Amino acid sequence: MSAGYRIENPATGTVEETFDFIADDQLEQTLDTAAKAQAQWAAKPIEDRASVVSKVAALFDERKDELAKIIAQEMGKRVSEGVGEAEYCGEIFQYYADNGPKFAAPQPLEADNGKAMLERRPVGVLLGIMPWNFPYYQVARFAAPNLMLGNAILLKHAEICPKSALAIQQIMDDAGVPAGVYTNVFASHEQVEDIIADNRIQGVSLTGSERAGAAVSAIAGKNLKKAVLELGGSDPYVILDTDDVKAAAKDAWETRMYNTGQACDSNKRLIVMEDIYDEFVAALIEQAQQMKPGPVDSDDPTVYQPLSSKSAAENLAAQIDQVRDAGGTVQIGGSMTGDGAYFEPTVLTDIPRGSDVYYEEFFGPVAVVYAVSSDEEALEVANDSQFGLGGTVFATDVERAKKVGQGFEVGMAKVNSYSAEGAQLPFGGVKHSGYGRELGPIGMDEFVNKRLYFVAD
């Protein structure tokens, strides 16, 4: 049984506030209001919608400090990282406000005996199911392009993020998004199934776990609804060579520790050439030894924050036990600390390929390292995963790195950079990492009716 929507301090495990699930009759009214509001919203010129979306962007930036404090309280994010997340949301909403009319413009097609156009039209009301690890950013990726298109949104947020969900709703209201066009709903899992099945809903977008994605896609498929899924990841981070092993290890470690390791596209598997492997692992252990638990308002990179919840920390501890049972080595860390959701930064090696835990995602401050002896083996290990979100490769010879990067079985391949993100760049994966794309021009091409409009001569 779900504990329901709540603010549960991850540093202490204390439930500080609870929120009721939406009543069934209220949900019925919400769906009806959304359907009517969507028709009116879609009838507005896209330039008018852009004006409202631009105000949403401005409010995310204006309220970034307040927004950051909310998610620090709810899921333990470092305050400075929360500020950056809110700023990025502003960039995403503004990107679609600026470019949406161009992306949605009719496209002339060649045709005999008439004029043909490919139109991009809204499909209706959509359900968004969003996770706790980036409470604002995940919503922005989904909401910004669809509001521009003229779709309406029901947003079911993670049950530990009620306050940030309400803060987003307030931004939408204050920006002038009409009532019913964006509606936060504190829905139960049972109600989510009913929402997807409802004829007033035309699609569902989920960012979350494999398990949640499988459940949602099954319900969507049964009801002939389009789904976009952004699920887990176990991204390879390949280092073929480096002029400075310690610096490379420091970059890899700091990348892995961002958001306390709770990012779908984090560098969860570090694949290192055997000639630098021992020095690299030693440097990672040295980085981990410097880490200490601390408050969310610390900007010290050696201070780590709690995980999102005590249950998340307990699940990670259980995975570390699986690593030991499989014959892997815990070089440092691997345990919960204190009464809340703090988890020691961890370095793992020697996890046997083929073991069950080898194929699992570690969603927390855990770096797993593998030694390889050739570029071919590096690529083989990189692709030996059920996930396919992102992948990164580093080498002093860019052509060598590009060759490995071209072989990644992922949705986002990066060469000599641990980050390649921006509102203009698409995000998404393959295999068990889901399907569909968000952001960039193609972010407006998911929940859209690509209608042929033909007028005979």
Side-chain angles (χ1 to χ4, degrees):
M1 179 69 180
S2 170
Y5 289 82
R6 64 211 180 271
I7 297 175
E8 183 174 340
N9 188 325
T12 64
T14 303
V15 176
E16 299 177 349
E17 190 174 357
T18 59
F19 299 77
D20 292 334
F21 288 120
I22 188 171
D24 288 341
D25 59 347
Q26 185 183 355
L27 178 57
E28 169 62 27
Q29 181 59 52
T30 297
L31 283 161
D32 196 51
T33 299
K36 293 174 181 175
Q38 187 275 324
Q40 297 173 355
W41 179 244
K44 290 179 177 291
I46 194 170
E47 291 77 14
D48 290 358
R49 297 197 293 270
S51 178
V52 175
V53 170
S54 184
K55 291 175 184 175
V56 172
L59 288 176
F60 265 101
D61 192 66
E62 182 182 309
R63 298 178 185 177
K64 59 189 177 185
D65 294 326
E66 171 194 344
L67 295 171
K69 290 176 183 176
I70 290 172
I71 55 176
Q73 177 191 16
E74 287 183 326
M75 50 71 66
K77 189 186 294 283
R78 191 190 297 269
V79 171
S80 58
E81 292 181 5
V83 170
E85 181 178 340
E87 290 175 338
Y88 191 20
C89 290
E91 294 171 13
I92 291 169
F93 278 100
Q94 193 59 53
Y95 170 79
Y96 283 106
D98 292 341
N99 294 286
K102 175 179 63 178
F103 295 157
Q107 177 184 342
L109 301 173
E110 291 186 14
D112 296 329
N113 305 317
K115 295 181 180 178
M117 303 288 287
L118 179 69
E119 300 178 326
R120 287 176 168 82
R121 300 172 66 87
V123 295
V125 184
L126 308 174
L127 173 65
I129 304 173
M130 297 294 131
W132 46 260
N133 58 329
F134 291 91
Y136 305 124
Y137 163 61
Q138 310 280 13
V139 174
R141 291 192 325 205
F142 167 61
N146 284 301
L147 289 176
M148 279 301 302
L149 278 166
N151 293 320
I153 292 168
L154 263 61
L155 202 292
K156 187 268 182 220
H157 219 313
E159 291 176 11
I160 62 170
C161 291
K163 200 170 178 181
S164 49
L166 294 173
I168 297 170
Q169 181 70 68
Q170 192 64 56
I171 284 175
M172 297 293 175
D173 295 345
D174 292 347
V177 176
V181 172
Y182 181 99
T183 310
N184 177 73
V185 288
F186 288 151
S188 68
H189 293 169
E190 294 77 16
Q191 288 173 320
V192 165
E193 184 168 355
D194 293 338
I195 293 170
I196 297 172
D198 193 282
N199 287 334
R200 290 164 290 192
I201 294 292
Q202 301 304 317
V204 56
S205 178
L206 174 134
T207 299
S209 67
E210 283 181 276
R211 181 180 177 183
V216 165
S217 62
I219 299 166
K222 178 182 176 182
N223 290 280
L224 300 179
K225 305 293 176 68
K226 165 114 184 225
V228 168
L229 304 178
E230 197 278 281
L231 309 179
S234 189
D235 288 13
Y237 187 97
V238 178
I239 301 177
L240 301 176
D241 65 9
T242 176
D243 293 329
D244 190 333
V245 175
K246 283 194 172 183
K250 186 173 186 290
D251 284 346
W253 181 256
E254 291 180 351
T255 302
R256 186 69 190 99
M257 291 302 112
Y258 178 73
N259 202 32
T260 323
Q262 300 167 117
C264 301
D265 59 337
S266 184
N267 54 334
K268 300 189 178 80
R269 294 181 296 135
L270 310 181
I271 301 166
V272 184
M273 281 294 169
E274 59 185 5
D275 60 330
I276 60 172
Y277 174 82
D278 289 341
E279 185 181 355
F280 186 87
V281 171
L284 285 181
I285 294 170
E286 184 179 338
Q287 290 289 321
Q289 287 171 334
Q290 298 174 22
M291 303 291 286
K292 53 191 176 292
V296 293
D297 58 357
S298 173
D299 280 333
D300 184 343
T302 66
V303 170
Y304 65 91
Q305 285 69 44
L307 297 184
S308 62
S309 66
K310 191 170 184 178
S311 62
E314 290 169 345
N315 290 339
L316 194 56
Q319 284 183 291
I320 302 302
D321 287 340
Q322 287 181 272
V323 170
R324 294 188 181 97
D325 292 343
T329 303
V330 181
Q331 296 283 353
I332 188 171
S335 300
M336 297 173 62
T337 62
D339 297 326
Y342 284 96
F343 195 94
E344 295 173 330
T346 302
V347 177
L348 305 176
T349 59
D350 309 313
I351 299 179
R353 286 182 67 185
S355 62
D356 290 343
V357 72
Y358 172 87
Y359 295 100
E360 292 186 4
E361 174 184 21
F362 293 90
F363 212 65
V366 177
V368 186
V369 197
Y370 300 95
V372 292
S373 59
S374 67
D375 294 12
E376 292 74 20
E377 186 183 7
L379 187 57
E380 180 188 350
V381 173
N383 289 335
D384 186 14
S385 173
Q386 63 188 353
F387 297 105
L389 192 54
T392 299
V393 56
F394 290 90
T396 53
D397 180 349
V398 68
E399 293 303 319
R400 180 186 181 193
K402 284 164 64 176
K403 186 175 180 180
V404 171
Q406 282 287 351
F408 284 148
E409 296 169 356
V410 299
M412 300 174 289
K414 292 161 280 186
V415 174
N416 283 344
S417 175
Y418 53 79
S419 176
E421 63 179 26
Q424 73 278 18
L425 299 178
F427 188 102
V430 296
K431 298 197 271 191
H432 284 204
S433 290
Y435 45 79
R437 293 293 183 270
E438 296 177 311
L439 297 180
I442 61 175
M444 282 188 70
D445 261 0
E446 291 292 351
F447 295 103
V448 60
N449 174 12
K450 297 171 187 174
R451 190 178 79 166
L452 168 66
Y453 187 69
F454 179 83
V455 178
D457 289 337

